[in-house]
Amino acid sequence: MDYHLYINGQWTPSASGQTFETVDPATEEPIATVARGTAEDINQAVEAARAPFAGGWWRTKPPAPARLLYDMARAIERHAGELAELETRDSGKPLNRSLAEVRSSARYFEFYAGAADKLFGTQIPLGPDYIDFTIREPMGVTAHIVPWNMPLNMVARSVAPALAAGNTCVVKPAEQTPLTALRLADLFAEVGFPPGVYNVVTGFGEEAGGPLASHPGIDSMTFTGSVETGRRIMRAAAEHIKPVVLELGGKSPHIIFADADMEIAVAEATKAITANCGQVCSAGSRLVIDNAVREPFLEQLTARMEALSVGPGMDNPDMGPLVSAEHYQRVNGYIALGQEEGAQVITGGGRPAGLERGFFVAPTVFDQARPDMRIAQEEIFGPVLSVLGFSDEEEALEIANGVAYGLVAGIFTNDINRALRLAGRIKAGQIYVNEYYAGGEETPFGGYKQSGFGREKGLEALQSYTQVKNVAIRIR
Ligand code: NAD
């Protein structure tokens, strides 16, 4: 398979003529050749995105995005099986997981289709001599730099609200997983989006992402990825005073109190760190557990983790491989580091038996972790759980808030007062009570502290893709 860039509704080779390969993480074999975009391609894509915006592609009655986004949702659903297979081959994730992410992508388009013709302004009372109202206008050309952990879903999450508000988009997918963002381009054309509204430039971070982030012709930047790259994106955006949304990493606590329903809590704690092989920004990667139930809980947790199937995503196991050789090294590096730091592996700790090729790591639990250890502070982004015990609510809170991140937190308890007390005091953008990953496309998502700022998902995301103009009129 050969993939070009998608610019102005056309499949285009990169200006340099260079390409790169994307690899199936389950077999380590190349599966496709993809254009290696650079600054020249970014210039073309930004220019292509400018034209339909300047032409007011969305300014119709009723607004064009409303119908087109609905059609896009239906098109994604029609192609769900094919998109899921492509995602699994490119990223390694189990087929059912890919299918769920594809369906969720369709839901983003559907949700924002419903919002596209309801972007109302407000009327502000200024007394009898004035009429004052606000208009919400699109930003213009919006840039989207996307990570590899949920490739299609992250594109849908930020592109759908941007388009609903009348913007145009230039997308830079992650170099590890560019295929579904490209396939999506066919569907944009099929349902009738004007050329230039959705553009994709594939390539590497510094070569393609860098020029996009610093391009004077973009009007906003949505970046989802690591803190380190987020910093660079912010610096680049500062040069031309461009607004940014930063959706960065996490080291989220999952707090289990002794009064919680243990069976459900064990199942949720397992899901929180093994879903998508732990490659989820909001993964519950720190198990903060009441010492009163620590031992029986860990016994059940390890049994559950050891019962999970691990294998190639196409076989639909519970857990697939990590995304790349580089990431495989990184996660294994943290497993070695945890042992050096004095934490104890009670299950997992390396490659599962019987899987010789592919970037597979068994679900791994570190007991005896301390809050100051690097495995309890840094984002590992794999199926590696650090267990931290507590004696009372105050200590649980201190551990929960004791990291640089603040993306999400899970609380398991049957005491509603305690749940609400903690929900108020934990510094994180989302709180899950008695179900990890509770929420949906409808609920705002984003970080406190170094997990970033700005909100994706829900109606809240539309704030990032619109600007408010106030019109004040004196009646004479
Ligand atoms: P990354 O920062 O390395 O890469 C993300 C994207 O940025 C890729 O497309 C990459 O090519 C691009 N990039 C890299 N260097 C760049 C540069 N100098 N200039 C411009 N673009 C550049 O992150 P990753 O390793 O791909 O993704 C994992 C990270 O993403 C984790 O920290 C994870 O928590 C985070 N993440 C956050 C969310 C969220 O919603 N908060 C969601 C998913 C992933």
Side-chain angles (χ1 to χ4, degrees):
M1 294 189 286
D2 278 337
Y3 288 84
H4 289 334
L5 311 173
Y6 188 74
I7 298 176
N8 205 20
Q10 303 288 325
W11 293 105
T12 319
S14 64
S16 69
Q18 289 197 321
T19 59
F20 65 100
E21 281 179 334
T22 162
V23 166
D24 180 339
T27 61
E28 304 181 32
E29 301 292 337
I31 50 171
T33 302
V34 181
R36 183 167 171 170
T38 55
E40 218 176 318
D41 305 298
I42 292 289
N43 286 343
Q44 282 188 22
V46 173
E47 200 178 307
R50 177 61 51 196
F53 181 74
W57 75 278
W58 78 100
R59 267 190 219 271
T60 56
K61 191 172 179 314
R67 183 186 57 75
L68 289 170
L69 290 173
Y70 267 123
D71 291 349
M72 196 61 190
R74 297 290 89 81
I76 293 173
E77 279 166 3
R78 272 200 308 282
H79 293 271
E82 171 217 337
L83 284 164
E85 265 190 39
L86 193 62
E87 196 78 299
T88 287
R89 277 167 53 76
D90 207 13
S91 70
K93 62 183 78 209
L95 211 43
N96 274 349
R97 165 103 202 168
S98 293
L99 206 51
E101 289 182 15
V102 170
R103 293 206 170 112
S104 156
S105 305
R107 175 71 186 130
Y108 280 121
F109 281 95
E110 184 181 75
F111 180 81
Y112 291 108
D117 54 2
K118 299 168 196 72
L119 282 166
F120 304 139
T122 51
Q123 188 267 319
I124 298 166
L126 285 182
D129 298 333
Y130 296 89
I131 291 179
D132 188 285
F133 59 92
T134 61
I135 305 170
R136 290 177 74 178
E137 296 186 336
M139 306 294 297
V141 177
T142 60
H144 307 254
I145 298 184
V146 184
W148 45 258
N149 63 325
M150 292 168 67
L152 179 71
N153 200 262
M154 296 284 115
V155 172
R157 182 172 96 173
S158 67
V159 159
L163 295 176
N167 299 285
T168 57
C169 303
V170 178
V171 175
K172 208 299 276 175
E175 53 272 31
Q176 298 86 346
T177 55
L179 302 186
T180 44
L182 290 168
R183 181 70 182 98
L184 203 64
D186 288 323
L187 305 190
F188 272 106
E190 190 182 305
V191 304
F193 274 88
V197 170
Y198 176 79
N199 306 277
V200 185
V201 178
T202 48
F204 292 90
E206 290 198 5
E207 285 177 11
L212 180 58
S214 59
H215 201 290
I218 63 165
D219 297 295
S220 81
M221 159 60 65
T222 302
F223 172 76
T224 310
S226 63
V227 172
E228 196 187 320
T229 312
R231 260 189 211 107
R232 292 190 188 172
I233 298 285
M234 241 178 123
R235 283 195 201 105
E239 191 58 35
H240 304 289
I241 317 291
K242 303 297 180 190
V244 289
V245 173
L246 294 183
E247 293 283 0
L248 309 178
K251 188 74 181 176
S252 299
H254 194 191
I255 311 174
I256 318 278
F257 287 93
D259 66 353
D261 180 316
M262 282 302 139
E263 209 182 312
I264 298 178
V266 166
E268 292 292 310
T270 307
K271 178 182 82 180
I273 191 63
T274 59
N276 207 31
C277 203
Q279 303 166 120
V280 182
C281 52
S282 46
S285 52
R286 291 184 297 145
L287 183 75
V288 183
I289 181 131
D290 199 328
N291 284 328
V293 290
R294 177 186 183 128
E295 275 192 23
F297 191 92
L298 290 184
E299 222 167 87
Q300 285 183 47
L301 183 76
T302 48
R304 212 178 170 102
M305 290 212 174
E306 283 161 16
L308 294 178
S309 56
V310 183
M314 294 304 279
D315 298 346
N316 223 353
D318 295 315
M319 231 179 66
L322 293 167
V323 74
S324 65
E326 190 190 353
H327 195 51
Y328 178 77
Q329 298 295 340
R330 180 184 146 87
V331 171
N332 278 300
Y334 271 107
I335 293 175
L337 174 71
Q339 286 162 308
E340 281 162 31
E341 288 184 306
Q344 188 194 341
V345 172
I346 55 169
T347 187
R351 182 175 274 279
L355 291 165
E356 262 86 61
R357 284 183 75 75
F359 311 125
F360 295 99
V361 175
T364 298
V365 178
F366 272 111
D367 195 9
Q368 312 295 334
R370 282 195 323 272
D372 62 338
M373 287 179 178
R374 284 182 58 197
I375 57 158
Q377 288 287 329
E378 298 175 16
E379 185 181 45
I380 299 174
F381 220 55
V384 182
L385 183 66
S386 300
V387 179
L388 302 153
F390 68 84
S391 306
D392 57 29
E393 191 180 308
E394 243 358 86
E395 192 184 6
L397 181 70
E398 198 180 314
I399 294 171
N401 281 337
V403 292
Y405 295 105
L407 193 53
V408 312
I411 304 169
F412 262 75
T413 177
N414 276 327
D415 178 344
I416 186 66
N417 291 311
R418 171 148 62 197
L420 292 175
R421 257 195 322 271
L422 282 173
R425 296 178 71 195
I426 291 176
K427 293 186 172 60
Q430 297 70 221
I431 308 289
Y432 307 136
V433 178
N434 290 341
E435 182 183 303
Y436 208 85
Y437 296 131
E441 295 78 7
E442 306 81 355
T443 49
F445 185 88
Y448 278 32
K449 304 197 282 185
Q450 289 194 17
S451 292
F453 54 80
R455 290 293 176 267
E456 290 274 86
K457 301 170 75 167
L459 292 179
E460 206 77 24
L462 291 163
Q463 308 286 346
S464 313
Y465 300 109
T466 52
Q467 47 195 339
V468 174
K469 181 178 277 173
N470 190 79
V471 181
I473 305 163
R474 175 79 155 94
I475 306 168
R476 295 196 187 272

